[in-house]
Amino acid sequence: MTNKDIEERKFRPAKQEVKDAAKDLQTPQTTSAAYRLAFQDTDFLLREDLRPVRFQLELLKPELLMNEAKIESTFVFYGSARIPEPEKAQERLAAAMTDEERGVAQRLADKSKYYVEARRLANIAARYPAGEDGKRNFVVCSGGGPSIMEAANRGAADVDAPSIGMNIVLPHEQAPNIYVTPELSFQFHYFALRKMHFLLRARALAVFPGGFGTFDEFFELLTLIQTGKMKPIPILLFGKDFWTKVINFEALAEEGVISHRDLDLITWVETAEEAWSAVCAFYKDDTMMACG
């Protein structure tokens, strides 16, 4: 007996079975939905009973593809889908017709600096060198959409580095921004699985001004670390003026619903350099400074 005899695959691969199953046999039996291969039967896979299977598929697909891409860890970016880059912010401001529109446009223009900082921070993180085994760390990861997410993927693209986009199917039109690496552009049905993938490989996380989605993801991360379900990682919060206007963090501690030490989970920053320095300090890795 040879090694070939032992190692050779004995069962026909599923791809071959699919090809053979596609034979054009038009009979009542072969045209029935019951006859379709289960994993090719979309109507079957979308049944309520199959939700656990869809959960598993949505967990496995990005996991396997990121493993194949040798992505060891990620640098995750959260933030608004509505903050434009500075040039577009000025265009919107110029096009505003009413006092209300001008007020909103001006406040978004004031926050457009965070598009620039997100792009710069992603650029720094994306230059972190791969290991001798080819594995990559601090790979830029965003929600794959516009604004702050676009800035993050764009920062990685500026240095020809791969970056991840994790889009979600929404009732209104949404498409991945053009800077996401196509082979790492994922689409999710389940928010829960998407949020899990954001954090499974996360070794640092930057949070920029944002709305409900940003609040949801940011506070879930704080809760996971606060409760010990997840080990601490650097949580870099950009925009102290914004955040302290919309959330009174100190009041939460004063009211006793969190402890004052829970506030230490947050690192306040305003620039990409401050953020990267905080990550270097957290991991006590002076060699990381060279990437900045």
Side-chain angles (χ1 to χ4, degrees):
M1 182 180 295
T2 66
N3 286 338
K4 180 179 181 300
D5 293 327
I6 297 171
E7 297 171 0
E8 186 180 32
R9 184 188 179 104
K10 299 303 180 185
F11 289 96
R12 282 158 49 88
K15 286 183 179 179
Q16 183 62 49
E17 294 288 277
V18 167
K19 183 178 179 181
D20 290 345
K23 293 175 181 175
D24 191 18
L25 301 174
Q26 296 297 313
T27 69
Q29 291 76 27
T30 60
T31 56
S32 168
Y35 192 70
R36 296 178 198 145
L37 288 168
F39 54 82
Q40 285 193 299
D41 189 341
T42 303
D43 291 336
F44 174 68
L45 289 174
L46 294 179
R47 287 172 54 153
E48 290 292 313
D49 320 58
L50 272 290
R51 182 175 287 118
V53 174
R54 294 196 299 274
F55 278 180
Q56 186 175 20
L57 290 172
E58 200 151 280
L59 176 65
L60 274 174
K61 182 179 180 181
E63 178 70 11
L64 293 175
L65 292 180
M66 283 192 278
N67 281 343
E68 290 170 3
K70 295 186 176 182
I71 295 173
E72 187 79 359
S73 69
T74 57
F75 198 134
V76 177
F77 288 67
Y78 290 159
S80 174
R82 302 186 183 193
I83 297 174
E85 61 181 299
E87 294 79 5
K88 292 181 179 178
Q90 292 304 313
E91 290 173 6
R92 175 171 177 168
L93 186 57
M97 302 295 290
T98 67
D99 288 344
E100 182 180 359
E101 288 179 354
R102 278 189 288 274
V104 171
Q106 183 61 64
R107 286 187 286 275
L108 287 173
D110 292 342
K111 288 188 280 291
S112 66
K113 62 184 179 182
Y114 294 117
Y115 183 104
V116 177
E117 294 304 327
R119 182 176 176 182
R120 290 173 61 204
L121 178 57
N123 186 288
I124 295 170
R127 285 186 273 135
Y128 191 83
E132 293 182 1
D133 56 1
K135 291 184 177 180
R136 295 179 175 272
N137 284 285
F138 297 105
V139 175
V140 171
C141 176
S142 84
S147 187
I148 297 299
M149 297 173 278
E150 174 189 283
N153 297 114
R154 187 175 181 179
D158 287 339
V159 289
D160 296 322
S163 70
I164 304 162
M166 295 190 178
N167 284 79
I168 184 112
V169 178
L170 297 174
H172 51 82
E173 183 179 354
Q174 191 202 38
N177 67 68
I178 62 172
Y179 302 104
V180 177
T181 300
E183 295 77 19
L184 297 172
S185 182
F186 303 113
Q187 183 172 214
F188 291 83
H189 170 58
Y190 298 106
F191 267 109
L193 273 297
R194 179 183 186 238
K195 289 197 281 188
M196 181 177 287
H197 273 296
F198 272 135
L199 298 181
L200 280 174
R201 286 176 166 78
R203 295 299 177 270
L205 198 143
V207 186
F208 293 82
F212 289 159
T214 304
F215 276 57
D216 175 41
E217 292 157 342
F218 172 40
F219 277 95
E220 182 168 49
L221 171 61
L222 288 174
T223 302
L224 288 169
I225 296 176
Q226 180 203 45
T227 57
K229 296 290 285 184
M230 179 177 170
K231 292 181 180 180
I233 63 172
I235 302 174
L236 312 160
L237 197 54
F238 282 78
K240 192 168 187 177
D241 287 346
F242 168 83
W243 287 107
T244 54
K245 178 182 178 181
V246 298
I247 303 170
N248 192 332
F249 292 96
E250 289 293 338
L252 291 172
E254 290 168 3
E255 291 293 326
V257 292
I258 65 172
S259 70
H260 278 283
R261 68 174 177 273
D262 291 331
L263 299 178
D264 294 336
L265 297 174
I266 297 169
T267 299
W268 295 98
V269 296
E270 289 297 326
T271 68
E273 289 76 16
E274 288 177 349
W276 187 249
S277 293
V279 175
C280 297
F282 182 92
Y283 289 108
K284 297 181 173 61
D285 187 350
D286 293 335
T287 62
M288 292 172 65
M289 295 300 291
C291 303

